[in-house]
Amino acid sequence: TYERLWIVGAMVLIVGFIATITYGSVGLGITMIDDEEETLAPDEIGEDERFADPRVEQVGEDEYAAYVVAQTFVFQPDPIEIPADSEVTFYVTSRDVIHSFTVVGTNTNTMVIPGEVATMTVEFDEPGEYGVICNEYCGAGHHDMEGELTVV
Ligand code: CUA
Protein backbone atom coordinates (compact mmCIF):
# COMPACT_ATOMS: atom_id res chain seq x y z
CA THR A 1 0.00 0.00 0.00
CA TYR A 2 1.00 3.65 -0.33
CA GLU A 3 1.09 4.05 3.43
CA ARG A 4 3.76 1.39 3.69
CA LEU A 5 5.79 3.11 0.97
CA TRP A 6 5.68 6.39 2.90
CA ILE A 7 6.92 4.68 6.06
CA VAL A 8 9.78 3.02 4.20
CA GLY A 9 10.62 6.33 2.53
CA ALA A 10 10.69 8.13 5.87
CA MET A 11 12.95 5.45 7.37
CA VAL A 12 15.39 5.77 4.47
CA LEU A 13 15.51 9.52 5.05
CA ILE A 14 16.11 9.13 8.78
CA VAL A 15 18.90 6.58 8.24
CA GLY A 16 20.38 8.93 5.64
CA PHE A 17 20.40 11.82 8.10
CA ILE A 18 22.04 9.75 10.81
CA ALA A 19 24.66 8.50 8.35
CA THR A 20 25.41 12.07 7.28
CA ILE A 21 25.77 13.28 10.86
CA THR A 22 27.92 10.30 11.82
CA TYR A 23 30.15 10.80 8.78
CA GLY A 24 30.51 14.48 9.60
CA SER A 25 31.91 13.85 13.05
CA VAL A 26 33.35 10.34 13.16
CA GLY A 27 34.15 9.76 9.50
CA LEU A 28 36.75 12.53 9.60
CA GLY A 29 38.35 11.10 12.70
CA ILE A 30 37.31 14.00 14.90
CA THR A 31 34.74 13.89 17.64
CA MET A 32 33.56 16.86 19.63
CA ILE A 33 33.19 15.95 23.28
CA ASP A 34 32.51 19.14 25.16
CA ASP A 35 32.65 22.89 24.93
CA GLU A 36 32.32 25.74 27.40
CA GLU A 37 33.61 29.23 28.16
CA GLU A 38 35.69 30.93 30.84
CA THR A 39 36.11 34.65 31.49
CA LEU A 40 39.49 36.35 31.37
CA ALA A 41 40.14 40.07 31.43
CA PRO A 42 41.89 41.19 28.21
CA ASP A 43 44.78 42.68 30.15
CA GLU A 44 45.29 39.35 31.91
CA ILE A 45 46.05 37.47 28.69
CA GLY A 46 49.63 38.72 28.58
CA GLU A 47 50.19 37.56 32.15
CA ASP A 48 48.32 34.28 31.84
CA GLU A 49 51.11 31.74 31.47
CA ARG A 50 48.85 29.49 29.40
CA PHE A 51 48.74 32.06 26.63
CA ALA A 52 52.14 33.71 27.05
CA ASP A 53 53.54 30.84 25.00
CA PRO A 54 50.79 29.35 22.78
CA ARG A 55 51.46 25.62 22.52
CA VAL A 56 50.27 22.05 22.68
CA GLU A 57 51.10 20.34 25.95
CA GLN A 58 50.72 16.73 27.03
CA VAL A 59 48.60 16.54 30.17
CA GLY A 60 47.98 12.80 30.44
CA GLU A 61 48.23 9.56 28.55
CA ASP A 62 46.78 10.41 25.12
CA GLU A 63 45.54 13.71 26.54
CA TYR A 64 46.71 17.12 25.43
CA ALA A 65 45.95 20.75 26.11
CA ALA A 66 46.25 23.23 23.24
CA TYR A 67 46.61 26.90 24.21
CA VAL A 68 45.72 28.88 21.12
CA VAL A 69 45.78 32.64 20.66
CA ALA A 70 43.94 34.36 17.84
CA GLN A 71 44.90 37.88 16.86
CA THR A 72 44.75 39.89 13.65
CA PHE A 73 45.40 37.97 11.43
CA VAL A 74 47.05 34.82 12.73
CA PHE A 75 46.55 31.84 14.99
CA GLN A 76 49.32 30.74 17.31
CA PRO A 77 50.78 28.19 17.36
CA ASP A 78 50.84 27.54 13.64
CA PRO A 79 50.74 24.75 12.78
CA ILE A 80 48.96 23.22 15.75
CA GLU A 81 50.46 19.72 15.94
CA ILE A 82 48.47 16.97 17.58
CA PRO A 83 49.25 13.25 17.87
CA ALA A 84 46.66 10.86 16.40
CA ASP A 85 44.48 8.83 18.79
CA SER A 86 44.43 11.59 21.33
CA GLU A 87 41.98 13.77 23.18
CA VAL A 88 42.72 17.46 23.02
CA THR A 89 41.23 20.27 25.03
CA PHE A 90 41.56 23.58 23.21
CA TYR A 91 41.75 26.79 25.21
CA VAL A 92 41.33 29.62 22.75
CA THR A 93 41.39 33.33 23.40
CA SER A 94 41.88 36.54 21.45
CA ARG A 95 44.36 39.34 22.05
CA ASP A 96 42.35 41.95 20.18
CA VAL A 97 38.97 41.63 18.49
CA ILE A 98 36.41 38.87 17.99
CA HIS A 99 37.63 36.03 15.78
CA SER A 100 36.60 32.44 15.36
CA PHE A 101 38.56 29.23 15.64
CA THR A 102 37.18 27.01 12.91
CA VAL A 103 38.74 23.75 11.84
CA VAL A 104 37.61 23.32 8.25
CA GLY A 105 35.56 20.24 7.48
CA THR A 106 34.88 19.40 11.14
CA ASN A 107 32.41 20.59 13.76
CA THR A 108 35.23 22.20 15.74
CA ASN A 109 34.13 25.80 15.56
CA THR A 110 33.93 28.47 18.22
CA MET A 111 33.74 32.21 18.51
CA VAL A 112 36.88 33.65 20.08
CA ILE A 113 36.11 36.68 22.21
CA PRO A 114 38.68 38.95 23.88
CA GLY A 115 38.40 38.41 27.61
CA GLU A 116 36.99 34.92 27.28
CA VAL A 117 38.55 31.52 26.93
CA ALA A 118 36.61 29.18 24.68
CA THR A 119 37.17 25.60 25.77
CA MET A 120 36.52 22.57 23.63
CA THR A 121 37.52 18.95 23.94
CA VAL A 122 37.97 17.07 20.70
CA GLU A 123 39.11 13.54 19.86
CA PHE A 124 41.54 13.05 16.99
CA ASP A 125 41.69 9.47 15.75
CA GLU A 126 43.44 9.58 12.42
CA PRO A 127 46.35 11.52 10.96
CA GLY A 128 45.36 14.36 8.68
CA GLU A 129 45.81 18.00 7.82
CA TYR A 130 43.16 20.59 8.46
CA GLY A 131 42.90 24.24 7.67
CA VAL A 132 42.09 26.59 10.52
CA ILE A 133 40.15 29.68 9.55
CA CYS A 134 38.43 32.65 11.10
CA ASN A 135 34.81 33.14 10.14
CA GLU A 136 34.06 36.27 12.15
CA TYR A 137 34.88 39.46 10.26
CA CYS A 138 37.86 40.93 12.10
CA GLY A 139 39.33 43.52 9.76
CA ALA A 140 41.12 43.99 6.46
CA GLY A 141 43.10 40.76 6.76
CA HIS A 142 40.15 38.61 7.82
CA HIS A 143 40.03 36.60 4.60
CA ASP A 144 43.72 35.74 4.92
CA MET A 145 43.48 34.68 8.56
CA GLU A 146 44.45 31.05 8.24
CA GLY A 147 46.36 28.48 10.18
CA GLU A 148 46.97 24.78 10.05
CA LEU A 149 46.17 21.86 12.30
CA THR A 150 48.14 18.70 11.72
CA VAL A 151 47.29 15.34 13.26
CA VAL A 152 50.42 13.19 13.09
CU1 CUA B 1 39.99 36.86 12.53
CU2 CUA B 1 38.30 37.14 10.92
Side-chain angles (χ1 to χ4, degrees), residues 70-73 75 97-100 134-139 141-143 145:
Q71 68 183 104
T72 49
F73 298 100
F75 295 98
V97 298
I98 292 175
H99 300 277
S100 90
C134 173
N135 64 20
E136 293 291 331
Y137 184 75
C138 55
H142 163 70
H143 295 287
M145 184 161 173

mmCIF file with all atom_site columns, all heavy atoms in Angstrom, residues 70-73 75 97-100 134-139 141-143 145, ligand 1:
data_model
loop_
_atom_site.group_PDB
_atom_site.id
_atom_site.type_symbol
_atom_site.label_atom_id
_atom_site.label_alt_id
_atom_site.label_comp_id
_atom_site.label_asym_id
_atom_site.label_entity_id
_atom_site.label_seq_id
_atom_site.pdbx_PDB_ins_code
_atom_site.Cartn_x
_atom_site.Cartn_y
_atom_site.Cartn_z
_atom_site.occupancy
_atom_site.B_iso_or_equiv
_atom_site.pdbx_formal_charge
_atom_site.auth_seq_id
_atom_site.auth_comp_id
_atom_site.auth_asym_id
_atom_site.auth_atom_id
_atom_site.pdbx_PDB_model_num
ATOM   1   N  N   . ALA A 1 70  ? 44.318 33.773 19.107 1.00 0.00 ? 70  ALA A N   1
ATOM   2   C  CA  . ALA A 1 70  ? 43.937 34.364 17.835 1.00 0.00 ? 70  ALA A CA  1
ATOM   3   C  C   . ALA A 1 70  ? 44.180 35.858 17.943 1.00 0.00 ? 70  ALA A C   1
ATOM   4   O  O   . ALA A 1 70  ? 43.881 36.479 18.966 1.00 0.00 ? 70  ALA A O   1
ATOM   5   C  CB  . ALA A 1 70  ? 42.462 34.096 17.551 1.00 0.00 ? 70  ALA A CB  1
ATOM   6   N  N   . GLN A 1 71  ? 44.769 36.425 16.925 1.00 0.00 ? 71  GLN A N   1
ATOM   7   C  CA  . GLN A 1 71  ? 44.904 37.879 16.861 1.00 0.00 ? 71  GLN A CA  1
ATOM   8   C  C   . GLN A 1 71  ? 45.040 38.259 15.398 1.00 0.00 ? 71  GLN A C   1
ATOM   9   O  O   . GLN A 1 71  ? 45.398 37.429 14.569 1.00 0.00 ? 71  GLN A O   1
ATOM   10  C  CB  . GLN A 1 71  ? 46.088 38.382 17.692 1.00 0.00 ? 71  GLN A CB  1
ATOM   11  C  CG  . GLN A 1 71  ? 47.466 38.000 17.162 1.00 0.00 ? 71  GLN A CG  1
ATOM   12  C  CD  . GLN A 1 71  ? 48.557 38.486 18.085 1.00 0.00 ? 71  GLN A CD  1
ATOM   13  O  OE1 . GLN A 1 71  ? 49.148 37.724 18.835 1.00 0.00 ? 71  GLN A OE1 1
ATOM   14  N  NE2 . GLN A 1 71  ? 48.846 39.773 18.035 1.00 0.00 ? 71  GLN A NE2 1
ATOM   15  N  N   . THR A 1 72  ? 44.742 39.491 15.059 1.00 0.00 ? 72  THR A N   1
ATOM   16  C  CA  . THR A 1 72  ? 44.755 39.889 13.649 1.00 0.00 ? 72  THR A CA  1
ATOM   17  C  C   . THR A 1 72  ? 46.146 39.669 13.079 1.00 0.00 ? 72  THR A C   1
ATOM   18  O  O   . THR A 1 72  ? 47.087 40.306 13.549 1.00 0.00 ? 72  THR A O   1
ATOM   19  C  CB  . THR A 1 72  ? 44.355 41.366 13.483 1.00 0.00 ? 72  THR A CB  1
ATOM   20  O  OG1 . THR A 1 72  ? 45.143 42.116 14.404 1.00 0.00 ? 72  THR A OG1 1
ATOM   21  C  CG2 . THR A 1 72  ? 42.883 41.602 13.799 1.00 0.00 ? 72  THR A CG2 1
ATOM   22  N  N   . PHE A 1 73  ? 46.328 38.873 12.086 1.00 0.00 ? 73  PHE A N   1
ATOM   23  C  CA  . PHE A 1 73  ? 45.397 37.968 11.425 1.00 0.00 ? 73  PHE A CA  1
ATOM   24  C  C   . PHE A 1 73  ? 46.017 36.581 11.403 1.00 0.00 ? 73  PHE A C   1
ATOM   25  O  O   . PHE A 1 73  ? 46.187 35.972 10.366 1.00 0.00 ? 73  PHE A O   1
ATOM   26  C  CB  . PHE A 1 73  ? 45.104 38.469 9.995  1.00 0.00 ? 73  PHE A CB  1
ATOM   27  C  CG  . PHE A 1 73  ? 44.451 39.828 10.000 1.00 0.00 ? 73  PHE A CG  1
ATOM   28  C  CD1 . PHE A 1 73  ? 45.197 40.972 9.747  1.00 0.00 ? 73  PHE A CD1 1
ATOM   29  C  CD2 . PHE A 1 73  ? 43.081 39.968 10.321 1.00 0.00 ? 73  PHE A CD2 1
ATOM   30  C  CE1 . PHE A 1 73  ? 44.594 42.232 9.785  1.00 0.00 ? 73  PHE A CE1 1
ATOM   31  C  CE2 . PHE A 1 73  ? 42.497 41.223 10.354 1.00 0.00 ? 73  PHE A CE2 1
ATOM   32  C  CZ  . PHE A 1 73  ? 43.245 42.357 10.095 1.00 0.00 ? 73  PHE A CZ  1
ATOM   33  N  N   . PHE A 1 75  ? 46.777 32.723 13.835 1.00 0.00 ? 75  PHE A N   1
ATOM   34  C  CA  . PHE A 1 75  ? 46.547 31.840 14.986 1.00 0.00 ? 75  PHE A CA  1
ATOM   35  C  C   . PHE A 1 75  ? 47.915 31.369 15.458 1.00 0.00 ? 75  PHE A C   1
ATOM   36  O  O   . PHE A 1 75  ? 48.799 31.095 14.655 1.00 0.00 ? 75  PHE A O   1
ATOM   37  C  CB  . PHE A 1 75  ? 45.739 30.599 14.570 1.00 0.00 ? 75  PHE A CB  1
ATOM   38  C  CG  . PHE A 1 75  ? 44.346 30.910 14.121 1.00 0.00 ? 75  PHE A CG  1
ATOM   39  C  CD1 . PHE A 1 75  ? 44.050 31.021 12.772 1.00 0.00 ? 75  PHE A CD1 1
ATOM   40  C  CD2 . PHE A 1 75  ? 43.325 31.081 15.045 1.00 0.00 ? 75  PHE A CD2 1
ATOM   41  C  CE1 . PHE A 1 75  ? 42.759 31.312 12.341 1.00 0.00 ? 75  PHE A CE1 1
ATOM   42  C  CE2 . PHE A 1 75  ? 42.037 31.367 14.628 1.00 0.00 ? 75  PHE A CE2 1
ATOM   43  C  CZ  . PHE A 1 75  ? 41.745 31.481 13.272 1.00 0.00 ? 75  PHE A CZ  1
ATOM   44  N  N   . VAL A 1 97  ? 40.396 41.532 18.803 1.00 0.00 ? 97  VAL A N   1
ATOM   45  C  CA  . VAL A 1 97  ? 38.967 41.627 18.491 1.00 0.00 ? 97  VAL A CA  1
ATOM   46  C  C   . VAL A 1 97  ? 38.359 40.226 18.414 1.00 0.00 ? 97  VAL A C   1
ATOM   47  O  O   . VAL A 1 97  ? 39.048 39.234 18.641 1.00 0.00 ? 97  VAL A O   1
ATOM   48  C  CB  . VAL A 1 97  ? 38.746 42.390 17.159 1.00 0.00 ? 97  VAL A CB  1
ATOM   49  C  CG1 . VAL A 1 97  ? 39.255 43.810 17.271 1.00 0.00 ? 97  VAL A CG1 1
ATOM   50  C  CG2 . VAL A 1 97  ? 39.433 41.670 15.998 1.00 0.00 ? 97  VAL A CG2 1
ATOM   51  N  N   . ILE A 1 98  ? 37.071 40.167 18.095 1.00 0.00 ? 98  ILE A N   1
ATOM   52  C  CA  . ILE A 1 98  ? 36.408 38.871 17.988 1.00 0.00 ? 98  ILE A CA  1
ATOM   53  C  C   . ILE A 1 98  ? 36.869 38.143 16.718 1.00 0.00 ? 98  ILE A C   1
ATOM   54  O  O   . ILE A 1 98  ? 36.868 38.714 15.631 1.00 0.00 ? 98  ILE A O   1
ATOM   55  C  CB  . ILE A 1 98  ? 34.872 39.037 17.980 1.00 0.00 ? 98  ILE A CB  1
ATOM   56  C  CG1 . ILE A 1 98  ? 34.397 39.533 19.345 1.00 0.00 ? 98  ILE A CG1 1
ATOM   57  C  CG2 . ILE A 1 98  ? 34.183 37.718 17.619 1.00 0.00 ? 98  ILE A CG2 1
ATOM   58  C  CD1 . ILE A 1 98  ? 32.908 39.839 19.398 1.00 0.00 ? 98  ILE A CD1 1
ATOM   59  N  N   . HIS A 1 99  ? 37.288 36.897 16.891 1.00 0.00 ? 99  HIS A N   1
ATOM   60  C  CA  . HIS A 1 99  ? 37.628 36.027 15.776 1.00 0.00 ? 99  HIS A CA  1
ATOM   61  C  C   . HIS A 1 99  ? 36.818 34.747 15.948 1.00 0.00 ? 99  HIS A C   1
ATOM   62  O  O   . HIS A 1 99  ? 36.001 34.640 16.860 1.00 0.00 ? 99  HIS A O   1
ATOM   63  C  CB  . HIS A 1 99  ? 39.123 35.663 15.814 1.00 0.00 ? 99  HIS A CB  1
ATOM   64  C  CG  . HIS A 1 99  ? 40.046 36.826 15.742 1.00 0.00 ? 99  HIS A CG  1
ATOM   65  N  ND1 . HIS A 1 99  ? 40.403 37.423 14.558 1.00 0.00 ? 99  HIS A ND1 1
ATOM   66  C  CD2 . HIS A 1 99  ? 40.708 37.513 16.710 1.00 0.00 ? 99  HIS A CD2 1
ATOM   67  C  CE1 . HIS A 1 99  ? 41.244 38.420 14.807 1.00 0.00 ? 99  HIS A CE1 1
ATOM   68  N  NE2 . HIS A 1 99  ? 41.440 38.504 16.104 1.00 0.00 ? 99  HIS A NE2 1
ATOM   69  N  N   . SER A 1 100 ? 37.092 33.779 15.081 1.00 0.00 ? 100 SER A N   1
ATOM   70  C  CA  . SER A 1 100 ? 36.596 32.441 15.359 1.00 0.00 ? 100 SER A CA  1
ATOM   71  C  C   . SER A 1 100 ? 37.750 31.479 15.190 1.00 0.00 ? 100 SER A C   1
ATOM   72  O  O   . SER A 1 100 ? 38.767 31.805 14.578 1.00 0.00 ? 100 SER A O   1
ATOM   73  C  CB  . SER A 1 100 ? 35.431 32.053 14.437 1.00 0.00 ? 100 SER A CB  1
ATOM   74  O  OG  . SER A 1 100 ? 35.911 31.433 13.262 1.00 0.00 ? 100 SER A OG  1
ATOM   75  N  N   . CYS A 1 134 ? 39.217 31.739 10.282 1.00 0.00 ? 134 CYS A N   1
ATOM   76  C  CA  . CYS A 1 134 ? 38.435 32.650 11.100 1.00 0.00 ? 134 CYS A CA  1
ATOM   77  C  C   . CYS A 1 134 ? 37.184 32.978 10.304 1.00 0.00 ? 134 CYS A C   1
ATOM   78  O  O   . CYS A 1 134 ? 37.275 33.383 9.156  1.00 0.00 ? 134 CYS A O   1
ATOM   79  C  CB  . CYS A 1 134 ? 39.263 33.907 11.340 1.00 0.00 ? 134 CYS A CB  1
ATOM   80  S  SG  . CYS A 1 134 ? 38.365 35.223 12.176 1.00 0.00 ? 134 CYS A SG  1
ATOM   81  N  N   . ASN A 1 135 ? 36.009 32.774 10.888 1.00 0.00 ? 135 ASN A N   1
ATOM   82  C  CA  . ASN A 1 135 ? 34.810 33.144 10.136 1.00 0.00 ? 135 ASN A CA  1
ATOM   83  C  C   . ASN A 1 135 ? 33.997 34.259 10.793 1.00 0.00 ? 135 ASN A C   1
ATOM   84  O  O   . ASN A 1 135 ? 32.814 34.409 10.551 1.00 0.00 ? 135 ASN A O   1
ATOM   85  C  CB  . ASN A 1 135 ? 33.951 31.920 9.783  1.00 0.00 ? 135 ASN A CB  1
ATOM   86  C  CG  . ASN A 1 135 ? 33.390 31.229 10.996 1.00 0.00 ? 135 ASN A CG  1
ATOM   87  O  OD1 . ASN A 1 135 ? 33.319 31.817 12.072 1.00 0.00 ? 135 ASN A OD1 1
ATOM   88  N  ND2 . ASN A 1 135 ? 32.971 29.985 10.851 1.00 0.00 ? 135 ASN A ND2 1
ATOM   89  N  N   . GLU A 1 136 ? 34.683 35.044 11.633 1.00 0.00 ? 136 GLU A N   1
ATOM   90  C  CA  . GLU A 1 136 ? 34.062 36.273 12.152 1.00 0.00 ? 136 GLU A CA  1
ATOM   91  C  C   . GLU A 1 136 ? 34.849 37.424 11.527 1.00 0.00 ? 136 GLU A C   1
ATOM   92  O  O   . GLU A 1 136 ? 36.076 37.470 11.639 1.00 0.00 ? 136 GLU A O   1
ATOM   93  C  CB  . GLU A 1 136 ? 34.198 36.356 13.678 1.00 0.00 ? 136 GLU A CB  1
ATOM   94  C  CG  . GLU A 1 136 ? 33.417 35.316 14.449 1.00 0.00 ? 136 GLU A CG  1
ATOM   95  C  CD  . GLU A 1 136 ? 31.912 35.526 14.378 1.00 0.00 ? 136 GLU A CD  1
ATOM   96  O  OE1 . GLU A 1 136 ? 31.479 36.699 14.237 1.00 0.00 ? 136 GLU A OE1 1
ATOM   97  O  OE2 . GLU A 1 136 ? 31.174 34.528 14.445 1.00 0.00 ? 136 GLU A OE2 1
ATOM   98  N  N   . TYR A 1 137 ? 34.156 38.354 10.901 1.00 0.00 ? 137 TYR A N   1
ATOM   99  C  CA  . TYR A 1 137 ? 34.875 39.458 10.258 1.00 0.00 ? 137 TYR A CA  1
ATOM   100 C  C   . TYR A 1 137 ? 35.688 40.228 11.309 1.00 0.00 ? 137 TYR A C   1
ATOM   101 O  O   . TYR A 1 137 ? 35.142 40.694 12.311 1.00 0.00 ? 137 TYR A O   1
ATOM   102 C  CB  . TYR A 1 137 ? 33.920 40.412 9.538  1.00 0.00 ? 137 TYR A CB  1
ATOM   103 C  CG  . TYR A 1 137 ? 34.696 41.474 8.813  1.00 0.00 ? 137 TYR A CG  1
ATOM   104 C  CD1 . TYR A 1 137 ? 35.350 41.163 7.630  1.00 0.00 ? 137 TYR A CD1 1
ATOM   105 C  CD2 . TYR A 1 137 ? 34.846 42.745 9.344  1.00 0.00 ? 137 TYR A CD2 1
ATOM   106 C  CE1 . TYR A 1 137 ? 36.127 42.106 6.981  1.00 0.00 ? 137 TYR A CE1 1
ATOM   107 C  CE2 . TYR A 1 137 ? 35.617 43.690 8.704  1.00 0.00 ? 137 TYR A CE2 1
ATOM   108 C  CZ  . TYR A 1 137 ? 36.252 43.359 7.522  1.00 0.00 ? 137 TYR A CZ  1
ATOM   109 O  OH  . TYR A 1 137 ? 37.030 44.294 6.886  1.00 0.00 ? 137 TYR A OH  1
ATOM   110 N  N   . CYS A 1 138 ? 37.004 40.330 11.074 1.00 0.00 ? 138 CYS A N   1
ATOM   111 C  CA  . CYS A 1 138 ? 37.864 40.930 12.096 1.00 0.00 ? 138 CYS A CA  1
ATOM   112 C  C   . CYS A 1 138 ? 38.762 42.026 11.548 1.00 0.00 ? 138 CYS A C   1
ATOM   113 O  O   . CYS A 1 138 ? 39.669 42.486 12.223 1.00 0.00 ? 138 CYS A O   1
ATOM   114 C  CB  . CYS A 1 138 ? 38.690 39.833 12.770 1.00 0.00 ? 138 CYS A CB  1
ATOM   115 S  SG  . CYS A 1 138 ? 39.645 38.835 11.621 1.00 0.00 ? 138 CYS A SG  1
ATOM   116 N  N   . GLY A 1 139 ? 38.534 42.432 10.307 1.00 0.00 ? 139 GLY A N   1
ATOM   117 C  CA  . GLY A 1 139 ? 39.331 43.519 9.760  1.00 0.00 ? 139 GLY A CA  1
ATOM   118 C  C   . GLY A 1 139 ? 39.810 43.203 8.360  1.00 0.00 ? 139 GLY A C   1
ATOM   119 O  O   . GLY A 1 139 ? 39.415 42.198 7.762  1.00 0.00 ? 139 GLY A O   1
ATOM   120 N  N   . GLY A 1 141 ? 42.406 42.011 7.059  1.00 0.00 ? 141 GLY A N   1
ATOM   121 C  CA  . GLY A 1 141 ? 43.098 40.758 6.759  1.00 0.00 ? 141 GLY A CA  1
ATOM   122 C  C   . GLY A 1 141 ? 42.278 39.521 7.086  1.00 0.00 ? 141 GLY A C   1
ATOM   123 O  O   . GLY A 1 141 ? 42.798 38.398 7.050  1.00 0.00 ? 141 GLY A O   1
ATOM   124 N  N   . HIS A 1 142 ? 41.007 39.724 7.405  1.00 0.00 ? 142 HIS A N   1
ATOM   125 C  CA  . HIS A 1 142 ? 40.150 38.614 7.822  1.00 0.00 ? 142 HIS A CA  1
ATOM   126 C  C   . HIS A 1 142 ? 40.210 37.415 6.867  1.00 0.00 ? 142 HIS A C   1
ATOM   127 O  O   . HIS A 1 142 ? 40.354 36.278 7.289  1.00 0.00 ? 142 HIS A O   1
ATOM   128 C  CB  . HIS A 1 142 ? 38.705 39.106 7.972  1.00 0.00 ? 142 HIS A CB  1
ATOM   129 C  CG  . HIS A 1 142 ? 37.690 38.019 8.006  1.00 0.00 ? 142 HIS A CG  1
ATOM   130 N  ND1 . HIS A 1 142 ? 37.578 37.157 9.075  1.00 0.00 ? 142 HIS A ND1 1
ATOM   131 C  CD2 . HIS A 1 142 ? 36.770 37.624 7.092  1.00 0.00 ? 142 HIS A CD2 1
ATOM   132 C  CE1 . HIS A 1 142 ? 36.599 36.291 8.800  1.00 0.00 ? 142 HIS A CE1 1
ATOM   133 N  NE2 . HIS A 1 142 ? 36.101 36.548 7.617  1.00 0.00 ? 142 HIS A NE2 1
ATOM   134 N  N   . HIS A 1 143 ? 40.106 37.706 5.565  1.00 0.00 ? 143 HIS A N   1
ATOM   135 C  CA  . HIS A 1 143 ? 40.031 36.602 4.595  1.00 0.00 ? 143 HIS A CA  1
ATOM   136 C  C   . HIS A 1 143 ? 41.350 35.839 4.486  1.00 0.00 ? 143 HIS A C   1
ATOM   137 O  O   . HIS A 1 143 ? 41.391 34.744 3.955  1.00 0.00 ? 143 HIS A O   1
ATOM   138 C  CB  . HIS A 1 143 ? 39.583 37.123 3.227  1.00 0.00 ? 143 HIS A CB  1
ATOM   139 C  CG  . HIS A 1 143 ? 38.189 37.667 3.270  1.00 0.00 ? 143 HIS A CG  1
ATOM   140 N  ND1 . HIS A 1 143 ? 37.077 36.852 3.367  1.00 0.00 ? 143 HIS A ND1 1
ATOM   141 C  CD2 . HIS A 1 143 ? 37.720 38.937 3.292  1.00 0.00 ? 143 HIS A CD2 1
ATOM   142 C  CE1 . HIS A 1 143 ? 35.990 37.606 3.425  1.00 0.00 ? 143 HIS A CE1 1
ATOM   143 N  NE2 . HIS A 1 143 ? 36.350 38.878 3.391  1.00 0.00 ? 143 HIS A NE2 1
ATOM   144 N  N   . MET A 1 145 ? 43.176 35.211 7.229  1.00 0.00 ? 145 MET A N   1
ATOM   145 C  CA  . MET A 1 145 ? 43.485 34.681 8.556  1.00 0.00 ? 145 MET A CA  1
ATOM   146 C  C   . MET A 1 145 ? 43.338 33.166 8.525  1.00 0.00 ? 145 MET A C   1
ATOM   147 O  O   . MET A 1 145 ? 42.228 32.640 8.594  1.00 0.00 ? 145 MET A O   1
ATOM   148 C  CB  . MET A 1 145 ? 42.556 35.309 9.599  1.00 0.00 ? 145 MET A CB  1
ATOM   149 C  CG  . MET A 1 145 ? 42.897 34.869 11.018 1.00 0.00 ? 145 MET A CG  1
ATOM   150 S  SD  . MET A 1 145 ? 42.207 35.999 12.224 1.00 0.00 ? 145 MET A SD  1
ATOM   151 C  CE  . MET A 1 145 ? 42.573 35.105 13.741 1.00 0.00 ? 145 MET A CE  1
HETATM 152 CU CU1 . CUA B 2 .   ? 39.989 36.862 12.530 1.00 0.00 ? 1   CUA B CU1 1
HETATM 153 CU CU2 . CUA B 2 .   ? 38.297 37.140 10.916 1.00 0.00 ? 1   CUA B CU2 1
#
